[in-house]
Amino acid sequence: MVRLKRFFKRFYLAILLFFLYLPILMLMVYSFNGGKTMAKWTGFSLNWYVELFKDPVIMEALGVTLSIALLSSLIAVVVGTLAAIGINEYKKWPKTLTINLTYVPMMNADIVTGISLLLLFIFMRIPRGYGTLLIAHTAFNIPYVIFSVLPKLRQMDPNLYEAALDMGATPSYAVRKVLIPELMPGIMTGFIMAFTMSFDDFVISFFSTQGLVNNLSTYIYSMARVGINPKINALSTIMFVCIITLLIVTNVQANRHSKKQQKQQRI
Amino acid sequence: MKKKFFALPYIVWMILFTVMPLILVLVYAFFNTTPSGDVIFTTEYLASAFSPESLSVLWRSLGYALITTVLCLLIAYPAALLLSRLKPRTASILSLLFILPMWMNFLLRTYAWRALLDLNGPINQLLGLLGIPAQQMLYTEGAVIFGLVYNFLPFMLLPIYSVFTKMNTSYIEAAEDLGANKRQVLFRVILPLTRPGIITGITMVFMPAVSTFIISRLLGGAHYMMFGDLLENQFMLLKDWNTGSALALIMMILLIISMALMRKYDKDSTEGGTRLW
Amino acid sequence: MKKTLALVFAILLLAVSLVGCGGAGGEKTTIHLLNWGEYLEPTLIDQFQKENPDIIVKFTNTTSNEEMYTVCATEGTEIDIVVPSDYLVERFINEDLLAELDLNNIPNFKYVEEVSKTRTFDPESKYSIPYMMGTVGIVYNKTLVDEPVDSWDILWDEKYSGQILMYDSIRDSMMVALAKLGYDINSTNPEEIAKAGELLMQQKPLVYAYLTDEIRTSMIGGSVALAVDYSGAAVGAIQENSDLDYVVPKEGSNVWVDNLVVLKSSKNKEAAERFINFLCDPEVSKKNSEYIGYTTPNAEAMKMIDPELLENPAYPISSDVIDRCEYYKDLGDDLSLYNDVWMKLRTAG
């Protein structure tokens, strides 16, 4: 019994992780497959990595995904940060109302958000394309920024900004030099979350453009029915490795940083 | 300039891209344009959204979502507990490992499961080596629920884990010192203390699972339609925006009900179910 | 931390600008093609763009005529060229969504004229040009099915429970049931449609899965006995797995022709017509047909087609097959009868 318990403790997390990574492993392994399907292993080959960069459609889809993620989260950061600063000053009921409405895109089912945006674009006769994709992504990104910045505003001394104005700073100067630096950690968190959300999204992209703009996920959706293209496996492998490297680098840096601090404190 | 006005661009944005779309869903669900161009109120679409067929899909989706939520909770809770008992450094690395798969496109991961579960896929080949005949795993209800659990597990794990890390362990020690046995500690101390995390986890799994689309088609072979698939059908195949909107309305009402329920059980936490991780 | 973020930022910007650069430079017309998956030989777009440096072709895929209709009939679409089947062309014409083609811009039309005339929905090619043809039939694995396959009945044989794949499309599913019952595959009789629906319901427990493009891969895998599929997909499957065979059942089936049309809302009609003309070129059509497996309506291309392909049981459409097959017709308002039956089938557990 005790042994079983110890076994369980030691391996439970490992087993879970194994299941989480099993399909990813499968994708990565088969990106090095010579053959075209995941049904048969025909031999090691780097062919798909070469082909990948020659495929204009995949490259364009990658470009759309990255540029939409970048643009929509940048817009979201600007609009969202300003909004948070403003909302923080609101009186009780307008504040509650705006905050609750801001929850809507976060809490609503993705499919409902996508559909309602599609209805709006049809109603306003906006042709569905890159523009509507950008609007849709910005729409679900702004709330993440607002809710990352608001807590930081609450922690802040409310008189700081007024003090800056009293000392003769222009509002824009006061915002740039006083408010923004204080809010920076929140803004950064918001940006990263927005970027991730946009990068990952499939459902809202699919419905708000009727699948007519190829970003990576809608492209995968339309192509994969014919059989997953190993080029996509290769691309995902590259991206995955990039993200892991990035995480390791930031982690190591953060560690060094905290160790340095500890040392300094000791001195 | 007053700080209040900073929110103005967002307020305009919100009215245009959050409020307007929701109003349009209501309009499409309840109003009909006659051939002569008159706009009239009708409950016809709501009625067809409540047809026996769509209700059967709704019950099925709610059932799957419930099973998924329970399974996620049962799997994630011990994992979060174990994770929080590790050295902080190992724990932070491991928790990162749990988030990482979400960076791989979820469609791709689901397609990979399809290859894995296939009749002559790797899992069945492995079983074959052990002398077990090939099992039909793909295109079953089990495969659909497996796919849902797989996709939503991290969303249950992370909020619970984050509550565990913030938990003051002195309560547990105090309970133990006062003579509580292990079961009492778990049910009387640990569970209540981690309730906010559990509730956040449930909100992040249950409703998204109900509205899932495509997983049931990919892993269930289109045998077990879920509510999201029904919505997709109305919008993409039948081009019936009115009935589709009425269905979306049902989804929104469900969301409001579940949020209200969660809030009732979540009085301790002021932020509702919205802290992500 | 900050440095790393700045670095990531810089890399992202660089990547975006690099990828974005591809489309820059010069006054170019972009035409947007809405096509079926794996339905165009991939190098042909490059070839066309090289021959016509002022045009860029973008494409998106769909898997059903119904989805195609939705996307094209929604206001404000930026699609120029679509590849609808017969009955969808009819519906588009009825709803006035197509641009009239200028055949002077499509000199290669003469190669497809023969087939074009047989199309009851647009015999004069006012709006549409034939692209590819095919039939709906049964692909089966000879090692798993030892009896002769010549009837739709086998899809209801309990012996093959869990080994049958059905095509996930409204008209094709209904066609199979209607043909098995001996009814017109374009029936608008509510009783007949209801009966066909019941038949499909009875079949549901036997069906392994309802799929579309994935049927080809599943059949190649060799673990499934029978599938309803299009002839061109069957061609590819048979090429990769010689255990497979294809048959158009004796009760009759659907013979179809997919067509190139330009939407009325298109702002690039002339460029679109140039692309259509390119696809009607015999060399191009031959290459295309050999790659995707569907039968070319192009008389000149047919003369050059790889003889090995003509041996493939799914490629040539013989005259007796044509005799027992029919085009789908647009059902107008009666379509809702089909939709209702189909929704019942799909929503059932």
Side-chain angles (χ1 to χ4, degrees), chain A residues 212-263:
Chain A
L212 291 185
V213 183
N214 283 333
N215 64 11
L216 278 179
S217 33
T218 54
Y219 176 74
I220 290 168
Y221 175 72
S222 73
M223 286 310 274
R225 297 201 214 182
V226 201
I228 280 201
N229 193 325
K231 287 183 244 177
I232 289 284
N233 290 0
L235 178 63
S236 324
T237 307
I238 294 175
M239 292 198 308
F240 202 67
V241 170
C242 283
I243 289 158
I244 291 180
T245 328
L246 188 73
L247 283 176
I248 292 173
V249 170
T250 42
N251 243 12
V252 167
Q253 268 192 356
N255 252 325
R256 249 191 235 148
H257 193 70
S258 67
K259 263 187 200 154
K260 232 189 237 167
Q261 272 186 334
Q262 276 172 6
K263 253 188 209 161

Side-chain angles (χ1 to χ4, degrees), chain A residues 12 20-21 23 82-83 86 98 102-103 109 111 115 120 144 161 193 200 217 221 224 228 236 243 247 255, chain B residues 3 6 10-11 17 24 75 89 97-98 100 102-103 105 108 111 113 150 211 214 217 228 235 271 274 276:
Chain A
Y12 187 66
L20 279 179
Y21 281 87
L82 288 177
T98 350
T102 306
Y103 273 133
I111 198 166
I115 282 166
L120 178 79
Y144 288 101
Y161 174 77
M193 276 173 84
D200 256 4
S217 33
Y221 175 72
I228 280 201
S236 324
I243 289 158
L247 283 176
N255 252 325
Chain B
K3 278 202 273 184
F6 288 176
Y10 173 64
I11 299 296
F17 297 114
L24 275 173
I75 297 171
R89 214 172 127 55
L97 281 179
F98 277 100
L100 211 52
M102 293 198 280
W103 274 88
N105 187 294
L108 276 179
Y111 277 110
W113 271 119
Y150 176 82
S211 64
I214 206 184
R217 195 167 73 211
F235 272 86
E271 296 270 284
T274 47
L276 285 172

Side-chain angles (χ1 to χ4, degrees), chain B residues 235-247:
Chain B
F235 272 86
M236 290 306 285
L237 286 192
L238 306 183
K239 195 174 176 275
D240 184 349
W241 288 319
N242 300 103
T243 312
S245 297
L247 289 169

